[in-house]
Amino acid sequence: MKQIIKLHDKFFKPYIGADKLKQAVKRLVDEVYNDLGEDEEPIFIGILNGSFMFAADFVREYPANCEVSFVKLASYEGLNSKGKVNELVGLSEDLTGKTVVILEDIIDTGNTLAKIYDIFEHLPVKQLKLVTLFFKPDVFKKSLHIDYIGISIPDKFIVGYGLDYDGFGRNLKDIYQLKDSKMKNIVLFGPPGAGKGTQASLLKDYYNLIHISTGEIFRCNIREKTELGILAKSYMDKGDLVPDKVTIEMLEKQVDKDLDVAGFIFDGFPRTKSQAEALDVFLAKKGEQIDGMVALEVEEDELVKRLLERGKTSGRPDDQNETKIRNRFNEYKTKTEILKEYYDKQGKYYGVVGLGNIDEITRRLKKVIDQL
Ligand code: IMP
Ligand code: MG
């Protein structure tokens, strides 16, 4: 299935794949055929425009002789049912004495269905059956009978497989669902020794976010020998930096795996302005954005002291040499300075005092993140 798509001003995420639709259609056909029997020659009437694809697939599966027709009955503009339904157009067949099976794409409030019953119940048909591919039980307000239901779905707007959002989306093979939840996407920064890893993992659990660490993603792609992993490794083996394009693509793939989460914590990325720009571009494609860069601010002297202390027992050589420690800080500061400016311009930079015990720092971070 494809990824997030944009129709007009809205974003939609993959929801029900073509395979599942096919199964649902097949099941509906079986149910109708079993009830009507092989001798019955029904007339299927699709309600346009939404049901054109469903009706086409349905009748193609239907194993007995049948007639096919369409009528039009529009009740919808935009995302909300207006509650008003137009007249029926296009019915030219004489339905007298026939077994009529209505094929609806979706039943939402039931207003359209009420109108359908109004019209068809007064016709001298032999029997009237109603099939709908989708049904929203939470919004259905009528006590009208629906004979066959394909897939019951929650009260969320969907498009694809004939269904549209203001004219678009009907041609999609799969069903997509309106993406309305707003994610919290954070870029987390912190100098060496500030406990960024610890905080990221606490925040991730608390806000139900996905922790995206570029280092992790690199290692994972290389381990699993993905196409991008092999490509990245070829640069690394030569001692070259992996180009942004490759990194971004890996990142995007990772993000696409979890489109239903509350958000992401980006850790170790972006490192440059161009990476930050690329991140903005790919999040925008999904109707998302970075909400804030949260940086742990710690006085350097204090951290040097802390790291040297740690070096006495940790055995890490890079923690034992003050010059090396100061170098790491300088590198960190140069990097963050650029990004600080980038996010500051958008009003998205949040510095948080990174000194204190773990709980204190977490509390400060939460205070900032809660407002994002
Ligand atoms: P109802 O009259 O409220 O039951 O709405 C039925 C009509 O509304 C359908 O025939 C569709 O045209 C439209 N509709 C309802 N829900 C959706 C949706 O999620 N996506 C696209 N169209 C919808
Ligand atoms: Mg319709």
Side-chain angles (χ1 to χ4, degrees), residues 75-76 81 105-112 136 157-158 164:
S75 74
Y76 244 69
S81 184
D105 48 350
I106 185 163
I107 293 172
D108 183 296
T109 61
N111 289 335
T112 313
K136 294 181 179 171
F157 198 80
I158 57 169
D164 72 310

Side-chain angles (χ1 to χ4, degrees), residues 67-231:
E67 290 176 85
V68 182
S69 187
F70 288 92
V71 295
K72 190 152 181 157
L73 199 63
S75 74
Y76 244 69
E77 268 166 38
L79 296 173
N80 291 305
S81 184
K82 296 237 171 74
K84 66 159 199 267
V85 186
N86 298 333
E87 283 308 298
L88 175 117
V89 277
L91 189 66
S92 49
E93 287 84 357
D94 179 7
L95 300 179
T96 308
K98 288 187 179 170
T99 289
V100 176
V101 182
I102 307 285
L103 299 179
E104 251 292 32
D105 48 350
I106 185 163
I107 293 172
D108 183 296
T109 61
N111 289 335
T112 313
L113 181 66
K115 189 73 185 178
I116 289 171
Y117 275 132
D118 264 1
I119 294 164
F120 284 92
E121 264 173 358
H122 298 110
L123 299 175
V125 300
K126 178 176 164 194
Q127 56 179 330
L128 181 68
K129 300 272 181 199
L130 191 123
V131 184
T132 186
L133 178 57
F134 295 108
F135 178 55
K136 294 181 179 171
D138 301 339
V139 250
F140 189 61
K141 292 188 293 211
K142 313 275 179 196
S143 54
L144 299 166
H145 183 67
I146 305 170
D147 298 279
Y148 306 95
I149 292 172
I151 304 174
S152 288
I153 57 169
D155 181 20
K156 293 232 174 107
F157 198 80
I158 57 169
V159 292
Y161 198 69
L163 294 156
D164 72 310
Y165 166 47
D166 271 354
F168 282 118
R170 295 197 196 276
N171 58 319
L172 300 164
K173 290 191 186 76
D174 308 300
I175 292 287
Y176 289 74
Q177 190 183 57
L178 180 68
K179 196 164 155 286
D180 49 2
S181 57
K182 164 110 181 48
M183 287 185 183
K184 244 186 224 292
N185 298 314
I186 298 155
V187 172
L188 186 65
F189 256 80
K196 183 166 61 100
T198 313
Q199 295 299 338
S201 122
L202 291 169
L203 294 174
K204 175 190 90 156
D205 293 343
Y206 184 77
Y207 291 103
N208 195 20
L209 305 173
I210 296 273
H211 182 194
I212 297 250
S213 141
T214 18
E216 248 333 286
I217 295 175
F218 271 128
R219 282 189 289 278
C220 181
N221 272 277
I222 291 169
R223 209 183 318 121
E224 287 171 12
K225 296 199 169 63
T226 67
E227 210 178 301
L228 286 167
I230 292 168
L231 187 61

Side-chain angles (χ1 to χ4, degrees), residues 333-370:
K333 271 192 287 192
T334 331
K335 269 179 207 153
T336 24
E337 236 15 76
I338 300 162
L339 292 166
K340 180 176 173 177
E341 201 184 305
Y342 179 82
Y343 288 110
D344 215 11
K345 266 192 196 146
Q346 305 176 33
K348 291 179 181 171
Y349 177 85
Y350 301 90
V352 172
V353 179
L355 269 187
N357 64 37
I358 294 176
D359 286 351
E360 261 175 290
I361 299 174
T362 312
R363 228 174 298 127
R364 283 182 214 131
L365 286 169
K366 282 182 185 166
K367 231 170 121 184
V368 167
I369 296 171
D370 278 340

Side-chain angles (χ1 to χ4, degrees), residues 4 11-13 177-181 183 259 286-288:
I4 301 269
F11 292 86
F12 295 83
K13 60 185 175 194
Q177 190 183 57
L178 180 68
K179 196 164 155 286
D180 49 2
S181 57
M183 287 185 183
L259 291 170
K286 297 163 208 307
E288 292 295 339

